[in-house]
Amino acid sequence: MLIKHTPPIRSSEITSREVYLSRRDLLFGASITALSLFAPQRAEAMSLEAASSPLSTDEAATTFEHVTSYNNFYEFGTGKDDPAKNAHMLTTKPWSVKVEGLVSRPTEFDLEDLLRPITLEERIYRLRCVEGWSMVIPWVGFPLSEVLKRVVPLGSAKFVAFETLHRPEEMPGQNAFFQALRWPYVEGLRLDEAMHHLTILAVGLYGEELPNQNGAPIRLVVPWKYGFKSIKSIVKITLTEEQPPTSWNRQNPREYGFYSNVNPEVDHPRWSQATELPIGEGLFAKRKPTLMFNGYGEEVAHLYEGMDLTKFY
Ligand code: MTE
């Protein structure tokens, strides 16, 4: 079981000392609100470990350098290093997110409005990605449910659809001759999955504002699902009655289903999903067995009771 109820690993143990010390000035506490969160001045002395969510894993985190240089963000190219090279082109201020569809109070939130009532926590979630690699990332985020409650879902709402920004002038992948995906990138969750306390909107990592290549300024993190469910740079959230389309299912329905729960027992048609390669452990890193629901089974298995997960992959 990866969720731990005692303080997780200290960031000083998982990052190099110089990097940790140079970042200390940017660290922030759980009790400060988002508006002061990324202020350039020194934050109150508050350690990462004090600010960590009780849901954090006790596994060592992947280094900041690996988390921010090995990415999938096809709007900036299909190579793992393309987002780190190209995502600086994206303007993330100002930013707003529309939340609409089957809700009583459809709202377009400025990012600041979205964060204002929320006390951010430092959370460490383990995110496993579909290619068979895995990372442990100390996200800064808050439950998506907080936003959904503010717009008051109607009884008819069954699903939540997400959409990434479409801005070809700043996202070269959306302009490329070879279009890797249909734009904008879209994703979806069942409403009960979206309301789950492990489903978060991330606005930072390692105590810093979210780097562009990781989905700035706001992205989804669903730690028990394969990485592609965690849609980046979100501009629209729509509550729907029907199951919404998802980018990878649209691209290749035989290989990618709607649910995409981490499941070592169900192979991808072209590769086994039984093991994963931890990123950043060097040339001789050993593959590790992948856990059902990425280790969050105790928290989420009940959502799928009675469902055949080989059919609903
Ligand atoms: N969101 C958008 N908008 N575009 C993308 O190409 N890639 C997905 C997901 N979210 C993607 C996206 C995939 S395939 C993965 S594995 C994760 O983002 C990677 O997130 P990371 O780079 O922060 O590890």
Side-chain angles (χ1 to χ4, degrees), residues 71-75 129 164 185 214 219 227-228 230-232:
N71 303 101
N72 273 344
F73 199 170
Y74 279 20
E75 286 85 339
C129 284
T164 292
Y185 196 98
N214 294 86
R219 56 93 53 91
F228 57 85
S230 293
I231 181 171
K232 296 174 164 179

Side-chain angles (χ1 to χ4, degrees), residues 210-261:
L210 203 57
N212 282 6
Q213 59 268 37
N214 294 86
I218 185 159
R219 56 93 53 91
L220 190 68
V221 177
V222 195
W224 72 96
K225 292 179 183 277
Y226 291 116
F228 57 85
K229 294 299 274 184
S230 293
I231 181 171
K232 296 174 164 179
S233 305
I234 297 169
V235 289
K236 195 157 85 167
I237 300 177
T238 312
L239 282 84
T240 64
E241 190 157 8
E242 303 296 323
Q243 183 175 299
T246 70
S247 281
W248 283 98
N249 175 254
R250 220 156 50 177
Q251 176 82 356
N252 194 336
R254 201 175 75 84
E255 299 193 354
Y256 302 101
F258 176 77
Y259 282 92
S260 315
N261 291 321

Side-chain angles (χ1 to χ4, degrees), residues 31-58:
S31 59
I32 58 175
T33 62
L35 289 182
S36 56
L37 177 64
F38 301 121
Q41 73 272 24
R42 192 180 182 95
E44 285 302 301
M46 172 83 82
S47 64
L48 261 181
E49 50 273 38
S52 288
S53 156
L55 292 166
S56 289
T57 162
D58 53 5

Side-chain angles (χ1 to χ4, degrees), residues 134-238:
S134 60
M135 293 194 193
V136 178
I137 303 178
W139 296 110
V140 181
F142 57 90
L144 169 66
S145 64
E146 309 265 332
V147 179
L148 298 180
K149 283 181 202 152
R150 284 171 76 181
V151 295
V152 191
L154 299 177
S156 51
K158 302 277 178 295
F159 294 91
V160 183
F162 303 86
E163 198 174 300
T164 292
L165 178 71
H166 186 245
R167 194 183 284 161
E169 61 279 18
E170 292 185 6
M171 294 176 139
Q174 291 180 341
N175 234 340
F177 177 68
F178 167 70
Q179 299 278 309
L181 289 170
R182 227 162 94 189
W183 312 110
Y185 196 98
V186 289
E187 254 307 335
L189 293 172
R190 237 169 42 191
L191 184 58
D192 58 344
E193 297 176 320
M195 294 298 287
H196 193 278
H197 57 274
L198 276 170
T199 303
I200 64 162
L201 285 170
V203 292
L205 56 81
Y206 264 105
E208 295 185 12
E209 207 169 323
L210 203 57
N212 282 6
Q213 59 268 37
N214 294 86
I218 185 159
R219 56 93 53 91
L220 190 68
V221 177
V222 195
W224 72 96
K225 292 179 183 277
Y226 291 116
F228 57 85
K229 294 299 274 184
S230 293
I231 181 171
K232 296 174 164 179
S233 305
I234 297 169
V235 289
K236 195 157 85 167
I237 300 177
T238 312

